[in-house]
Amino acid sequence: MSTKKIILKITGMTCSSCAINNEKALAKAKGIVSANVNFASKKALVEYDADVLSEEQVKKIIIDNGYDIDHGTHSMEHAGHDMKHDHDGGHEHRSEDIKKNWKAFLWSAIFTLPLALEMVYKFRLGMKFLDIDLVMYAHVVLATIVVFYFGWRFHKMAWKQAKKFQANMDTLVSMGTLVAYFFSLWLVAEKFLYDIEKEGYFEAAAIIITLILLGKYFEAKSTGQAGEAMKKLMELGAKKARVLIDGKEREIEISEIQVSDIILVKPSEKIPLDGEVIEGQSNVDESMLTGESMPVEKKVGSKVFGATLNEDGILKIKVTEVGEGTVLAQIIRTVEEAQGSKAPIQKLADRISGIFVPIVIGIALVTFLGWYFVSEDISIAIMNAVAVLVIACPCALGLATPTAIMVGTGKGAKNSILFKSGESFERAKEISMVVFDKTGTLTKGAPVVKRIISNPAFNFPQDKIAKLAASVAKNSEHPISQAVNAYAKDKNIETVDFADFKELPGRGVTAVCATHQKVVMMGNKKLLEENRLDTKWADEMLNDENLEIGTRLFVVHGGKDVVGAIIVADEARTESKGVVERLKAIGLKVAMISGDNKQTAQAMAKELGIEKVMAEVLPSEKAYEIEKLQSQGEKIVFVGDGINDAPSLVQADLGIAMGSATDIAKEAGQIILMQNNLEKVVEAIKLSKLTFRTIQQNLFWAFIYNIIAIPLAFSGILSPAIAAAAMSFSSVSVVANSLRIYRK
């Protein structure tokens, strides 16, 4: 199966029921792997089998379902090349949408105003405004224009839904306004035919349409603000680049650049795409991607990233990534996918929204029948039923979760925190403990050799111990091995060739000297025990409190003699202690997990104020330790950076990958920190909790609104016009509450 992802920008969706209907339509289609439709952003994130469906066929499913696809739609494979188009097109579309809704409201209000004034006039004075039939006919004309021209969008979509035996917000608005309009028209006909004078409700139908259009305007404006972070991300990218062709400069569009092209970047210019410096030297401001304020020195061989700013030198860069391969495109994709995803709590809202409209229609029918039999006045019965239909539109319910997720992910991206899905926010709600990987996470990840100790039983010189250790470790990429190699290089100690190299995770390294054919090992006590070597002297070294704090590595010569020990220590990050204190201050427990010996691990934990320590843990056992904590009732955030941290990141309730993390670790984590700064862990947790709390608030008020409003409309307390205003206000209030996340 060859799967692809596409983001569809859907037009014509007016409520959460529309999103649900589109999801259902997509899910039923053969070849669709997954589909998430976000009502707030008006986007669908669709994963499909390219062997079964084409991109056009996926779009056709939405079109056949009664909706349209905006030109800003793009495949994830072309995210980078299409960034400018997506930004310009998407932003223009949002602006046009806002203008369109404002214009529709304004003109609708102009035609509705005479109706509303006449209604108020009669209400205040108890008399008619100009007692002539022309007024009545003017009502018919004005109401017809408002209901059928400005309100056509609602009737059109309601009809499309009806043909598929479905219903949504448009169904309620359309039914409510048409009932009020045609009933009023019947009353006009009665007056014309039988001279029976009764109150009409043209103004109610017109006011409903006008107020809902006003709500749509505010909704479009607010959701546009919610997507502001995505807009700013897209604006980061350069629009054009200076390419060297046959030694001559030529300025071309970013979309025309290919891998291996040579681009020239002058001082104060943005670097267009990811690449490698082949000529020149400069300082580059990478803060727009990483948040780090200090510029990074770049020279021949250095990697550079699109959207970063070249400060002072001229750089020739060979392009290595275009399209979705660029770092910026990946960040945008991550944010877009997160904004298109759903938190598990939204499933409840979706289920309710899916059955809500038919239930409301049923309540409206009961309202009509009840009031008709009680009052024997069909006008009262109809208007109360209309009020029920209008006030119960589930817009607020549909906006509650996606708008909060849009704002939360947007704020995160702005602060160099990438949430990969809406689920991350919900996972954070019950977090009780943060578990840090030690090396490279709590520490700088660059250990150094503090001391070399010779075993008196063999009396090997320190340089010889260092030579043996560096020779056996030079093929290892482990930070500790790198520290030993760096020490040997610094001391001008020459290494010798070794064969049959083996790296034993969580224990050490072994190899065979090519000259003397003797086995040499470097590792911890576990390595000694596995090879059934004498650990008496090793135990003395491990328990000697007078020695430097750090990891004890033992050097074995000839496969049996423990000839020396190397103490390697890693320094804590400057911010580590403060971060631990801040996490404790917000009520979270803090723990550390490490492969180091207990003495070293506990010393580091004591320095940082961490009470819970899991030491001498093999990489393969880390996830098991997390699972044990979970079995004790803890909800775990795991923070790590290495390949060996990937299982723990997956096992934890919430995995956070550091900025320096491997690709595998970033793939495993639910949150990625673009900065290699632990302060972002606290920010990520706080933002997660804030966003989920906002989702809960939104859902609460959306539910409460309908719980209170529907009975009021049922009881006849609310007029259709007031119901329309209240319905519009509920949607806007939910979006406004979500936008508060930006300010906190």
Side-chain angles (χ1 to χ4, degrees):
M1 184 170 67
S2 175
T3 61
K4 288 186 178 180
K5 286 185 180 179
I6 186 173
I7 294 176
L8 302 172
K9 296 182 181 180
I10 304 174
T11 59
M13 291 200 301
T14 55
C15 69
S16 58
S17 297
C18 300
I20 295 167
N21 288 340
N22 281 316
E23 274 189 5
K24 287 179 178 178
L26 287 164
K28 284 191 277 186
K30 187 179 178 182
I32 299 294
V33 178
S34 66
N36 275 319
V37 182
N38 188 314
F39 168 54
S41 64
K42 306 295 190 290
K43 291 180 182 179
L45 175 61
V46 185
E47 186 176 4
Y48 63 99
D49 185 352
D51 296 332
V52 179
L53 290 170
S54 67
E55 186 175 306
E56 290 305 313
Q57 287 174 315
V58 176
K59 293 177 183 178
K60 192 173 183 297
I61 296 170
I62 299 296
I63 294 169
D64 289 346
N65 200 40
Y67 300 86
D68 295 316
I69 304 297
D70 181 55
H71 65 276
T73 292
H74 66 266
S75 163
M76 300 306 291
E77 282 78 3
H78 302 97
H81 279 324
D82 292 342
M83 271 193 295
K84 181 181 182 298
H85 170 75
D86 293 339
H87 160 58
D88 293 343
H91 183 51
E92 284 174 12
H93 178 75
R94 283 193 298 272
S95 298
E96 285 173 11
D97 194 41
I98 293 170
K99 288 177 183 176
K100 181 181 174 184
N101 279 293
W102 173 251
K103 202 182 228 182
F105 159 71
L106 190 61
W107 280 104
S108 182
I110 290 170
F111 283 96
T112 302
L113 187 60
L115 299 172
L117 286 175
E118 200 271 344
M119 178 184 72
V120 173
Y121 187 77
K122 287 192 295 184
F123 175 77
R124 288 178 179 173
L125 301 180
M127 60 182 288
K128 294 180 180 180
F129 179 72
L130 299 176
D131 193 12
I132 55 175
D133 288 340
L134 284 176
V135 173
M136 181 180 66
Y137 296 129
H139 285 185
V140 176
V141 173
L142 292 171
T144 301
I145 294 171
V146 174
V147 171
F148 290 100
Y149 183 76
F150 297 109
W152 180 247
R153 65 168 81 176
F154 306 112
H155 309 313
K156 179 183 175 184
M157 189 55 66
W159 175 242
K160 285 183 177 180
Q161 295 297 310
K163 287 194 292 185
K164 300 193 293 290
F165 299 99
Q166 295 175 349
N168 63 2
M169 180 206 108
D170 299 303
T171 306
L172 300 181
V173 174
S174 180
M175 285 181 65
T177 54
L178 290 179
V179 167
Y181 174 84
F182 283 111
F183 178 64
S184 301
L185 205 61
W186 170 253
L187 295 179
V188 170
E190 277 194 329
K191 181 180 180 181
F192 181 77
L193 295 172
Y194 308 112
D195 201 28
I196 300 173
E197 183 123 9
K198 287 186 179 180
E199 289 288 337
Y201 299 94
F202 288 117
E203 74 282 350
I207 289 172
I208 289 171
I209 294 292
T210 301
L211 289 175
I212 290 176
L213 288 173
L214 178 62
K216 289 295 175 186
Y217 163 71
F218 283 122
E219 188 181 301
K221 194 170 181 179
S222 300
T223 52
Q225 289 177 334
E228 203 62 23
M230 180 60 69
K231 170 190 162 186
K232 288 179 180 177
L233 274 176
M234 290 179 174
E235 285 177 338
L236 288 177
K239 308 299 185 288
K240 293 183 177 181
R242 194 179 287 105
V243 182
L244 293 177
I245 302 174
D246 298 327
K248 295 181 180 180
E249 295 180 21
R250 184 186 165 197
E251 194 172 68
I252 63 174
E253 297 286 335
I254 291 291
S255 58
E256 298 177 34
I257 297 176
Q258 304 295 322
V259 172
S260 297
D261 282 350
I262 307 300
I263 56 179
L264 186 70
V265 184
K266 296 181 179 180
S268 301
E269 291 183 346
K270 282 186 179 180
I271 294 172
L273 292 164
D274 297 6
E276 182 181 326
V277 178
I278 60 172
E279 187 178 311
Q281 186 171 343
S282 183
N283 292 307
V284 175
D285 180 358
E286 296 183 341
S287 60
M288 59 280 293
L289 291 182
T290 66
E292 298 284 356
S293 58
M294 293 297 293
V296 181
E297 184 183 1
K298 302 292 183 180
K299 54 188 177 181
V300 175
S302 298
K303 291 183 178 179
V304 291
F305 307 102
T308 58
L309 183 67
N310 181 32
E311 289 195 339
D312 42 36
I314 298 175
L315 296 175
K316 273 188 187 179
I317 299 166
K318 182 180 180 180
V319 177
T320 56
E321 297 287 352
V322 297
E324 73 162 356
T326 65
V327 171
L328 179 60
Q330 289 173 7
I331 292 172
I332 291 172
R333 179 181 65 189
T334 301
V335 176
E336 247 185 335
E337 287 187 7
Q339 291 188 340
S341 68
K342 293 183 178 181
I345 194 172
Q346 192 173 342
K347 293 178 181 177
L348 173 63
D350 285 350
R351 284 198 297 270
I352 293 172
S353 295
I355 61 171
F356 194 73
V357 173
I359 290 173
V360 169
I361 292 173
I363 294 172
L365 182 61
V366 171
T367 302
F368 170 77
L369 294 172
W371 276 98
Y372 182 70
F373 285 117
V374 170
S375 67
E376 296 184 353
D377 189 329
I378 194 170
S379 299
I380 294 174
I382 287 176
M383 286 302 101
N384 288 340
V386 169
V388 170
L389 288 172
V390 173
I391 203 162
C393 292
C395 290
L397 199 59
L399 290 166
T401 300
T403 53
I405 289 175
M406 284 177 67
V407 178
T409 54
K411 184 176 180 179
K414 184 181 178 182
N415 294 306
S416 303
I417 302 167
L418 296 185
F419 294 91
K420 293 168 67 175
S421 73
E423 188 178 357
S424 306
F425 301 113
E426 189 161 350
R427 287 190 176 196
K429 68 174 178 176
E430 296 177 346
I431 292 301
S432 61
M433 179 182 284
V434 181
V435 179
F436 288 97
D437 169 57
K438 174 182 163 288
T439 305
T441 304
L442 284 171
T443 67
K444 294 178 179 178
V448 294
V449 174
K450 293 291 187 180
R451 188 173 177 182
I452 295 178
I453 305 169
S454 177
N455 187 345
F458 301 99
N459 206 26
F460 271 49
Q462 290 183 359
D463 284 358
K464 187 173 180 179
I465 295 171
K467 183 175 183 176
L468 289 170
S471 297
V472 72
K474 65 182 179 182
N475 291 319
S476 171
E477 295 296 324
H478 194 281
I480 290 178
S481 295
Q482 294 296 310
V484 173
N485 289 323
Y487 176 85
K489 187 177 181 180
D490 186 59
K491 298 293 184 180
N492 294 317
I493 298 172
E494 292 186 7
T495 58
V496 296
D497 292 332
F498 274 61
D500 197 23
F501 171 80
K502 293 179 182 177
E503 190 155 12
L504 307 171
R507 288 157 291 175
V509 290
T510 71
V512 178
C513 177
T515 306
H516 302 97
Q517 297 298 306
K518 289 187 176 181
V519 176
V520 177
M521 307 177 191
M522 181 184 73
N524 56 22
K525 186 182 172 182
K526 286 183 180 180
L527 182 65
L528 305 184
E529 291 173 339
E530 281 185 2
N531 289 274
R532 299 180 180 180
L533 303 181
D534 187 357
T535 62
K536 184 179 178 182
W537 183 75
D539 288 332
E540 290 176 9
M541 292 296 99
L542 291 170
N543 297 320
D544 192 341
E545 295 181 358
N546 296 318
L547 294 174
E548 290 89 345
I549 298 299
T551 300
R552 272 67 162 167
L553 301 171
F554 302 101
V555 180
V556 179
H557 182 255
K560 58 181 180 148
D561 301 330
V562 183
V563 297
I566 301 175
I567 300 177
V568 179
D570 192 4
E571 296 179 343
R573 294 179 184 272
T574 53
E575 75 272 15
S576 292
K577 188 173 182 179
V579 167
V580 171
E581 291 173 352
R582 287 179 64 191
L583 289 170
K584 287 182 177 180
I586 60 175
L588 297 174
K589 303 171 190 173
V590 183
M592 184 183 80
I593 191 166
S594 173
D596 289 342
N597 63 72
K598 290 181 181 178
Q599 186 186 32
T600 302
Q602 287 173 350
M604 176 62 70
K606 185 179 179 181
E607 180 186 337
L608 300 178
I610 298 173
E611 297 171 359
K612 176 74 175 174
V613 182
M614 292 160 280
E616 300 179 3
V617 179
L618 293 173
S620 59
E621 297 173 345
K622 280 187 178 181
Y624 174 67
E625 292 294 330
I626 300 297
E627 190 178 359
K628 278 203 306 186
L629 291 171
Q630 290 171 320
S631 67
Q632 296 165 14
E634 301 289 356
K635 297 293 183 180
I636 305 295
V637 172
F638 181 81
V639 186
D641 68 331
I643 293 174
N644 59 359
D645 293 328
S648 302
L649 288 164
V650 173
Q651 178 62 44
D653 298 278
L654 184 64
I656 300 179
M658 294 291 291
S660 59
T662 62
D663 290 341
I664 294 174
K666 288 178 179 178
E667 186 66 30
Q670 289 86 46
I671 299 174
I672 302 170
L673 307 180
M674 294 302 295
Q675 290 186 30
N676 206 32
N677 185 342
L678 285 178
E679 295 284 355
K680 294 297 175 182
V681 173
V682 184
E683 290 182 31
I685 292 172
K686 282 186 172 181
L687 181 56
S688 297
K689 287 179 173 289
L690 172 62
T691 302
F692 187 75
R693 192 161 62 247
T694 303
I695 291 172
Q696 289 177 310
Q697 291 169 354
N698 288 347
L699 287 173
F700 173 78
W701 287 114
F703 280 122
I704 288 296
Y705 164 80
N706 282 294
I707 290 170
I708 295 173
I710 292 176
L712 288 175
F714 179 87
S715 61
I717 295 174
L718 298 178
S719 70
I722 295 173
M727 187 274 286
S728 298
F729 176 76
S730 69
S731 299
V732 175
S733 64
V734 163
V735 179
N737 188 50
S738 296
L739 290 171
R740 288 171 64 240
I741 295 172
Y742 278 134
R743 299 191 292 271
K744 291 187 177 181

